[in-house]
Amino acid sequence: MAERVADRPPAPPGGSSGAAARVSVVGYEDGGPVHRSDLLAVEEPLEIRVVAETAGRRVRHPVAVTMRTPGHDFELATGFLFSEGAIHARRELWRLDYCEPASPEERGNVVEAYLAPGVAFDAAALSRNVYTSSSCGVCGKTSIEQVLAQLPARRPAAGPPLERRWLLRLPAALGDAQPVFARTGGLHAAALFEPPVEGWADAAGAARPVVLREDVGRHNALDKLVGSLFLDERLPAAGRLLLVSGRASFELVQKAALAGLPALAAVGAPSSLAVELAGRLGMTLIGFLRDGRFNVYAGGQRVTG
């Protein structure tokens, strides 16, 4: 059974630990310079490796390096591998481990995902998928066709309607549930919400996130969330809504669709390719969900009220 942790191992002496680091700054205000300390979101590299059985022996494959906020690293690695098509079911993942560091800088910054015996791994195909995702703004239609080919034959059920009053409550609920952002102001968030049954949009707890993850990268935040659902065997996540703190990109729509989510809302704007992909997938895509308003770019039949 795969292990998972909330935070990385302790940092070496003198280093920062956790998701926030305190630094000294000089603030300039009306009265002149003020020396004080400030909390910043931590950003460090994470290398993801896959350990797979090849010709009777286990081989390590370095597959990606991402800049992330430490914490929920196992979920990040799992969500990344799932969204890139390297793993499809919980039984394919044997365990997760931090690699023994070769230097103090590597401590807690290399995660190895061990695949179960007999699970095939195509390192070259994963490299091609990662390149396609990162260049999606260039490849356009080709990327959409590849995403459609990766999705399950059956689309997730639409789930409960998305009531307007309930949607307008979500940005405040997202902010209230972001502990590290409240301290640093420097993190993106991805949150999963359970739409209430009709007539219960104002019920206590109706706008409370089911799962929330934070990271300096909005894609990483979503990978952590999806990885959490994968490890708990809660995919596909049909009938739920994903809210992200920034803009809605092509990649976020892609990752949400692969997780079986029928609706994605963003505090910021969507991209044109994100709107096109959501329309092709039958997803609801909402943008500019803030300040008591929002725009519906695709799948408006789910929005009521």
Side-chain angles (χ1 to χ4, degrees):
M1 183 154 184
E3 301 173 60
R4 50 199 293 214
V5 294
D7 290 294
R8 62 177 181 169
S16 63
S17 62
R22 188 169 294 279
V23 298
S24 298
V25 300
V26 180
Y28 285 84
E29 303 170 3
D30 291 340
V34 177
H35 294 266
R36 57 183 173 82
S37 65
D38 195 12
L39 277 176
L40 301 180
V42 173
E43 182 178 27
E44 292 183 358
L46 177 71
E47 181 180 350
I48 300 171
R49 301 174 184 171
V50 170
V51 184
E53 194 174 89
T54 303
R57 63 189 185 92
R58 291 199 167 269
V59 179
R60 283 174 169 79
H61 303 273
V63 297
V65 176
T66 183
M67 300 303 296
R68 99 305 187 189
T69 300
H72 300 101
D73 291 336
F74 289 1
E75 295 176 355
L76 172 56
T78 300
F80 171 82
L81 293 173
F82 171 78
S83 66
E84 296 299 338
I87 53 177
H88 307 87
R90 180 65 181 78
R91 63 181 178 276
E92 296 178 351
L93 186 58
W94 178 37
R95 69 185 175 95
L96 294 153
D97 252 332
Y98 283 104
C99 179
E100 283 294 322
S103 65
E105 290 75 21
E106 288 186 1
R107 186 178 179 86
N109 286 332
V110 181
V111 167
E112 294 186 330
Y114 289 75
L115 302 187
V119 175
F121 177 70
D122 188 341
L126 178 61
S127 298
R128 288 194 296 272
N129 285 344
V130 172
Y131 173 78
T132 298
S133 296
S134 64
S135 62
C136 65
V138 177
C139 49
K141 303 291 185 184
T142 303
S143 285
I144 289 180
E145 295 304 326
Q146 290 182 349
V147 171
L148 292 172
Q150 292 181 51
L151 294 173
R154 289 182 59 189
R155 300 288 173 86
L162 306 175
E163 209 275 336
R164 179 182 59 85
R165 291 175 302 157
W166 176 75
L167 286 168
L168 292 174
R169 296 175 61 191
L170 300 187
L174 181 70
D176 291 344
Q178 287 187 255
V180 184
F181 177 80
R183 296 163 60 202
T184 66
L187 291 179
H188 286 283
L192 193 68
F193 289 90
E194 186 85 55
V197 296
E198 192 170 359
W200 287 88
D202 295 321
R208 188 174 300 144
V210 178
V211 183
L212 183 142
R213 293 292 181 265
E214 293 180 289
D215 199 276
V216 287
R218 59 182 183 275
H219 300 136
N220 291 342
L222 181 50
D223 278 339
K224 288 178 179 182
L225 185 148
V226 171
S228 170
L229 298 175
F230 183 97
L231 291 170
D232 286 343
E233 299 186 80
R234 290 194 287 167
L235 291 179
R240 292 180 173 177
L241 175 137
L242 172 69
L243 176 62
V244 295
S245 59
R247 65 184 182 87
S249 66
F250 172 92
E251 283 184 274
L252 295 187
V253 174
Q254 173 189 0
K255 290 174 183 290
L258 289 169
L261 287 158
L264 168 63
V267 174
S271 68
S272 61
L273 202 57
V275 173
E276 183 175 351
L277 179 59
R280 294 279 294 274
L281 298 174
M283 292 177 61
T284 297
L285 179 60
I286 295 171
F288 294 108
L289 178 56
R290 62 177 189 254
D291 302 325
R293 64 181 182 90
F294 59 86
N295 295 338
V296 181
Y297 294 88
Q301 72 278 3
R302 291 194 180 99
V303 179
T304 64

